[in-house]
Every structure is written in structure tokens, then in C-alpha cells.
Amino acid sequence: MRSHYCGQIDESLVGQNVTLCGWVNRRRDLGGLIFLDVRDVKGIVQVVVDPDFEQLFSTANKLKHEFCIQLTGAVRARPDSQVNKTMATGAVEILASELTILNAAAPLPLNMDGHLNNSEEQRLKYRYLDLRRPEMAQRLKFRAKVTSQIRNYLDSHDFMDIETPILTKATPEGARDYLVPSRTHKGQFFALPQSPQLFKQLLMMAGMDRYYQIVKCFRDEDLRADRQPEFTQIDIETSFMSADEVMSVTEDMTRQLFKNLLDVDLGEFPRMTYHEAMTKYGSDKPDLRIPLEMVDVADLLQGVEFKVFSGPANDPKGRVAALKVPQGADKFSRKDIDELTKFVGIYGAKGLAWIKVNDVSKGVEGLQSPILKFLPEEVALAIIDRTAAETGDILFFGSDKYTVVSEAIGALRLKIGESLGLVADEWKPLWVVDFPMFEELEDGGLTPLHHPFTAPVGVTAQELKQQPEKTLSNAYDMVLNGVEVGGGSVRIHDQDMQQVVFEILGIGEEEAQEKFGFLLDALKFGAPPHAGLAFGLDRLVMLMTGASSIRDVMAFPKTTTAACPLTDAPGNANPQQLADLAIEIKLPAK
């Protein structure tokens, strides 16, 4: 139906007749002439309709936004004064000689000029129109290039693309499962995989050596900008490779990806321990573009009478940390500080103490804060010394449980960095390593920081059993500009070690056999040491394209309530389907 794409029309085709198919992106009637901007998947070109062609001109008069058309015409150069340097095809135009309306468009429910004029609900309900916008189309094209580059890299490094099941068994991996009822096994359910974790480990036990898969994963969890109920992972697993070797090959793949597609050299990725990340940044995915760091000051406050500080300072599970904002004293009014206090309250903080350093040379007299009356002079000066505060700086304090302070002041660091324009315009990748094997729950129990198949570092099964809280895991996360784009670990390949981990997690022998019997059995038959990593493809593409949400790099995403306005999913099942599945619906009373 066409000889060329719109975006391919250039000066080399001047004098030739071409046939194009696409959509009317814009129509301008300038009295004597009609100008059309016609768009397809490759770009936009200007078409001129002359009134000397009466029937053609009459047809062009009927055109509206998003009419689907076919046209034929001669390519000609634009006069120098009319060259549009913002368009790839701006040096030429087409004088139409034939025009066919392939399909008219009804009045549009979306503003096609920009998504800011459309609600999220509108964009998702009419996604097929939203995706026609060049901005959205370019993101999906870029995503396709990313997956192609990744496949080429992994194929060239002897990784095999192997599919794993979608209908599988529920396993605890940190979120609720999506369940699928079985018609042939009434009362029983499949689960959609939260990740192919167990299957990729089994592939290593099967001797596949190097596996990868670009795969859908499903998690029934609360959503936000970087979460969806179904998302895509770049899943990688290897046999006989150490953590360093896995990090090396995936780092090289990421560097090549950025170099080939964005012409960005990420350089060598620095490594940072989990402890350092939490201490300095309050997060295990620190954004290193922001030059603000937290400083622990609990030891300086253990003896003060001010319980807000001394309580957490003397609590082994507490934390008191200061965040210094250089030259920030004049940038935060009392109203601003009140707003920041509300902000940290979202993360559980009960307040936000502060000290402005008006003149460091005057000692305590040069400081300003309502908390100074509660602090001995030597303590206040020790805090100024510890934080290296200078005249014009402001200090913000978090004092509470360790997790509350880390999350609240860590989030405050990001907010202040963005509001003051401190985020450097550059890429900052890093590896975060040496994670704790477990973290403590509120009831005193333990849960794995990553997943229950992560291997510990440097301990026997018996030693792990004796000191689980102090053991580090052989895990590693790839972080880019404050976003975790990939995470992985060396896996447990010893049956005794795996059983001890289950025991620490309160998973008894019978429950372990019921849920993971196939894995435990496989560990008995010469399971090799193995390790892997999974990238979040959606997050990676979101970062690379500058999108603000992973919904903007997915073709058909869900809303934040896990619904699809386009198809009205989820929907009701008909009575016969429910009967076949032996399911009865009992909704809770309103």
C-alpha cells in the first residue's frame, strides 16, 4: 500500500513520486492551499494539497485529526525560507496527486498534543490513541531496542533463552500471589510466578549452565509509579560463577546498553556496602547525584536529659542522625520546616528537629534552634564539629527507631535535593553489596532481606543457625540514580544450608517439603554452585527514556488499583465458569 514511510522522505527523493499511509497529525487550511502533517511509525512529513486538483482538494477538506489516509504525490524541496529544521523531513514536502480516506476518525476522547491535558484514566482507556503520540511511540521503540541489545549480548556470551512455566505453585517471595483455580483439580490453585526463581535454579541443576529469559512476573501488592501487578524481568542465572563474575558480566552488559543506545559511558561501577548506604543515605538504593549525607550522632546524645534524643540514642534499635544542608539556613522558613515535618511524618517520624548555623565562629551563640535549650553547650558544639557544619548551613535531625530514621531522613534527603536543585545531571550507577542475611520483624521473628534461597557468606549451616542476625548474605543490587534496576545473589546449593534457612524463618520440615519439596529433592543430586541476577526491564527503560512512571514505557499497563480501563478488567465470571471451577462468590457485607 505504500512505497515509503513518512519519516524516510528526504532530499534524495526530490522529483520522485511516493505513496504513503498514515494518520493526519495536523491540518491547516491557508485559503488557497491545504497543508497536512501526515504521521506514521517512522515520523512526520508535510503534504501540500493544491486547489487545482478539485476532487483531491474536496477530499482533503473532509480530513480531521487522526483520519487514516493513503496518498500519492511528488517529493519537492521546500524554499529555503520554509525549511523546518525541527523536523527530520523539514527540507522537503509532498505535492499530493491522489488521496484516499482509509478510515475516518470520530471526535477524539484524548488531546493528542500532550498527555498533560489528559487524565491517567483517559490515557489508559484509550491507550491505542495514546500510543499514537510520537512521545509514547518512541518509548516503545526504544524498549524494543533495549530488549534486542540484551538478547544479542547474552546470546553472544553463551546464555540460553529458556522459557519457564506461568502456571506454577505458590511460593513465599515477599508479595501476595495471583491465584488461578484449576478446573480439573477442583479446590486447588495454580499461582502466577512472582519470579522464575525456583525454575532457573532447577535449570542450573539440570546442567544448562547459562540461562536467560525476558519474562512476565506477577505480584499482588500495593502499587506506585514503579510498580505494576504484571511486570517484565530480564532474568539471568549461571552455574560455576562467583558473585564477582556475575556482577562483572551484567555490569558490562549494562555499560554496552547505555553506550550503544544513549552514547553514555557509565564507567566502572563503584561498590558500597549495605551498612555504608544506610548510614550515609538511609537507603539501600542511594541516589549518588545528590551531595547530601546523613551523620550518626547518637553517641553524643546518650547523656542528655532531652528524651526525644536520649531515648533512641540509648536504644540498641534506635538511631539519631543529622542531615546537613550546606548554605540552607536562609532557604528554609519556619513554614517550610513545618511542611518538611509533615513530610517526614509520612514515614513514621514524630517530628523534625533542626539547628541553623548563623555564625559558626560564635559557638553556641551563633546557633538558632528551639532544641538548643535542651542540649548542653559541649554537646551542641560536638554535633557541629561531627557534621563539619559551617556558617549558613542547617542541620535536620531524625531520632527514633533505626528504620524510621533511615526512611524518613533518607526521603527528606531526596526531597531537599530535588527542591534545591542539587540533583546532578549525570548517571550514577553503583553496586550495593554485603546485605544482612535477615531482617527482624516487629514480632521479633526474622525474614530474608532478599529471598530464602540466598546463600550466606563465610559460614557453615551450623554457624548460621547460631548467629543468623549477624550473618551477611552473598547478595548484590545494581542501583542507578536512586533506583534499584537489578538484584541478585549466589544461591544456596547445599540441602543442609537450605533447611537451616527454612528453620530460621519458621518454615518447618513438613511445610518446607510441601512448598519446596521439588527444590530440596533436586539439591540432593549434585547441584552445582550457581548465582544470578534479575533486572527490572520496565524500570530500566523508564530511566533511560526519562519517563516518570513505568506505565509510560509499557504498552498496556494497569492503574494504581490494578485495573485495566481499556478492557474493564478484572470482571465478573459467569455462573457456569464458577460452577466448573467449584467456586462460590461470597462478597463481604458493605
Side-chain angles (χ1 to χ4, degrees):
M1 292 183 69
R2 60 186 165 200
S3 63
H4 296 78
Y5 285 93
C6 295
Q8 294 174 335
I9 308 302
D10 58 24
E11 291 167 292
S12 69
L13 296 172
V14 170
Q16 296 185 32
N17 268 4
V18 297
T19 299
L20 308 177
C21 294
W23 290 269
V24 177
N25 192 69
R26 189 181 177 199
R27 176 182 172 275
R28 290 162 290 153
D29 190 342
L30 302 185
L33 297 172
I34 292 176
F35 288 88
L36 306 173
D37 286 345
V38 182
R39 182 192 72 245
D40 64 14
V41 72
K42 297 287 187 180
I44 298 176
V45 68
Q46 177 172 285
V47 177
V48 181
V49 183
D50 194 299
D52 290 344
F53 299 89
E54 290 185 15
Q55 186 174 349
L56 179 67
F57 196 80
S58 175
T59 302
N61 257 324
K62 300 174 185 176
L63 298 180
K64 291 184 172 62
H65 212 22
E66 296 305 311
F67 270 46
C68 185
I69 63 174
Q70 180 191 48
L71 66 92
T72 298
V75 180
R76 67 185 189 185
R78 291 199 204 185
D80 290 343
S81 62
Q82 296 178 20
V83 170
N84 186 344
K85 294 182 180 179
T86 64
M87 288 175 62
T89 61
V92 295
E93 62 187 13
I94 297 171
L95 179 63
S97 56
E98 297 179 30
L99 175 62
T100 303
I101 297 176
L102 299 176
N103 209 330
L108 299 176
L110 289 184
N111 184 324
M112 301 296 286
D113 292 330
H115 74 274
L116 295 178
N117 298 313
N118 303 307
S119 69
E120 185 83 12
E121 187 82 9
Q122 283 177 302
R123 292 180 61 205
L124 295 183
K125 184 174 180 61
Y126 301 100
R127 191 62 162 184
Y128 42 85
L129 293 178
D130 191 44
L131 292 178
R132 285 187 197 172
R133 296 191 300 109
E135 177 186 30
M136 291 299 295
Q138 287 301 322
R139 286 174 180 161
L140 290 190
K141 289 181 200 173
F142 189 89
R143 182 183 176 118
K145 290 179 181 178
V146 169
T147 57
S148 177
Q149 290 272 331
I150 288 169
R151 289 187 189 280
N152 290 340
Y153 181 92
L154 294 173
D155 289 343
S156 69
H157 285 73
D158 297 325
F159 285 83
M160 284 195 294
D161 183 358
I162 306 175
E163 294 181 353
T164 54
I166 293 296
L167 293 177
T168 183
K169 190 171 186 175
T171 55
E173 291 190 43
R176 290 178 293 271
D177 291 299
Y178 278 100
L179 299 178
V180 180
S182 170
R183 180 184 59 81
T184 53
H185 301 276
K186 287 183 169 53
Q188 295 184 301
F189 296 82
F190 294 104
L192 303 183
Q194 294 186 35
S195 82
Q197 181 63 48
L198 298 181
F199 286 105
K200 63 186 179 185
Q201 288 190 244
L202 291 172
L203 286 170
M204 295 304 100
M205 297 170 196
M208 295 299 103
D209 196 64
R210 293 188 177 196
Y211 141 96
Y212 84 94
Q213 186 181 187
I214 298 179
V215 60
K216 282 287 189 185
C217 301
F218 307 86
R219 294 183 183 178
D220 184 5
E221 58 188 350
D222 296 331
L223 306 183
R224 55 178 185 242
D226 60 346
R227 281 183 180 171
Q228 279 281 290
E230 53 179 316
F231 57 95
T232 306
Q233 273 188 190
I234 306 159
D235 215 43
I236 297 171
E237 197 75 11
T238 67
S239 293
F240 307 112
M241 285 180 70
S242 66
D244 286 339
E245 289 170 321
V246 172
M247 284 190 279
S248 177
V249 71
T250 51
E251 179 179 325
D252 182 57
M253 181 184 79
T254 306
R255 273 200 303 269
Q256 288 196 28
L257 188 66
F258 273 73
K259 185 63 179 174
N260 293 342
L261 296 184
L262 297 179
D263 196 26
V264 168
D265 184 0
L266 292 177
E268 296 291 324
F269 292 15
R271 296 190 184 184
M272 179 183 296
T273 66
Y274 172 86
H275 177 74
E276 181 183 357
M278 296 302 295
T279 299
K280 290 183 177 180
Y281 308 106
S283 170
D284 59 1
K285 45 182 183 294
D287 190 341
L288 300 185
R289 297 173 301 166
I290 299 173
L292 302 177
E293 295 183 4
M294 296 163 63
V295 177
D296 282 331
V297 293
D299 59 308
L300 302 177
L301 294 158
Q302 289 175 336
V304 302
E305 294 182 3
F306 190 36
K307 297 296 184 182
V308 170
F309 279 164
S310 61
N314 287 285
D315 184 349
K317 297 180 181 179
R319 183 179 189 186
V320 185
L323 178 72
K324 180 181 73 174
V325 182
Q327 300 306 300
D330 294 332
K331 296 177 181 177
F332 295 96
S333 66
R334 188 57 190 264
K335 181 181 178 182
D336 294 330
I337 294 174
D338 288 343
E339 289 299 317
L340 294 178
T341 302
K342 292 179 184 176
F343 174 76
V344 296
I346 298 171
Y347 300 89
K350 300 179 183 68
L352 183 65
W354 54 273
I355 295 176
K356 288 186 178 183
V357 185
N358 296 326
D359 189 344
V360 74
S361 66
K362 294 183 178 179
V364 175
E365 296 300 318
L367 306 180
Q368 175 189 350
S369 172
I371 68 169
L372 288 173
K373 59 188 175 184
F374 301 113
L375 302 180
E377 180 175 339
E378 64 274 14
V379 171
L381 294 178
I383 291 172
I384 299 301
D385 182 61
R386 172 76 60 85
T387 58
E390 298 179 353
T391 298
D393 295 350
I394 186 172
L395 301 174
F396 291 105
F397 296 87
S399 181
D400 210 306
K401 294 179 181 177
Y402 187 91
T403 53
V404 171
V405 171
S406 299
E407 291 182 12
I409 305 303
L412 180 67
R413 172 182 174 270
L414 299 179
K415 184 175 180 64
I416 289 175
E418 291 174 3
S419 64
L420 297 185
L422 301 178
V423 184
D425 185 17
E426 56 186 332
W427 295 97
K428 285 288 189 178
L430 78 152
W431 287 105
V432 178
V433 297
D434 293 345
F435 287 84
M437 186 77 178
F438 305 100
E439 60 182 342
E440 189 174 340
L441 298 170
E442 289 188 5
D443 62 4
L446 297 178
T447 187
L449 200 62
H450 278 76
H451 56 65
F453 316 108
T454 301
V457 176
V459 295
T460 65
Q462 193 58 35
E463 289 170 335
L464 175 64
K465 194 173 183 178
Q466 292 170 352
Q467 48 182 15
E469 305 92 343
K470 298 180 180 179
T471 304
L472 298 180
S473 68
N474 206 343
Y476 35 84
D477 282 357
M478 183 188 290
V479 177
L480 183 60
N481 290 4
V483 176
E484 179 197 326
V485 294
S489 67
V490 173
R491 323 301 188 187
I492 296 171
H493 69 281
D494 174 76
Q495 185 187 24
D496 291 340
M497 181 68 79
Q498 188 64 75
Q499 286 180 327
V500 166
V501 170
F502 286 155
E503 185 180 328
I504 291 170
L505 297 175
I507 300 174
E509 198 170 323
E510 186 176 330
E511 183 184 357
Q513 193 61 38
E514 178 190 346
K515 291 183 175 178
F516 310 106
F518 56 95
L519 176 69
L520 296 174
D521 288 344
L523 290 173
K524 299 175 184 176
F525 300 105
H530 55 288
L533 183 143
F535 286 94
L537 175 63
D538 312 297
R539 290 185 185 181
L540 188 60
V541 177
M542 177 184 73
L543 285 174
M544 295 181 77
T545 60
S548 59
S549 164
I550 62 171
R551 292 192 293 278
D552 282 337
V553 297
M554 302 170 77
F556 300 105
K558 306 291 189 293
T559 66
T560 52
T561 59
C564 176
L566 175 67
T567 62
D568 284 332
N572 296 319
N574 67 51
Q576 186 58 52
Q577 287 175 310
L578 295 175
D580 290 344
L581 296 168
I583 289 177
E584 181 182 356
I585 303 296
K586 288 188 176 181
L587 296 176
K590 291 185 179 181

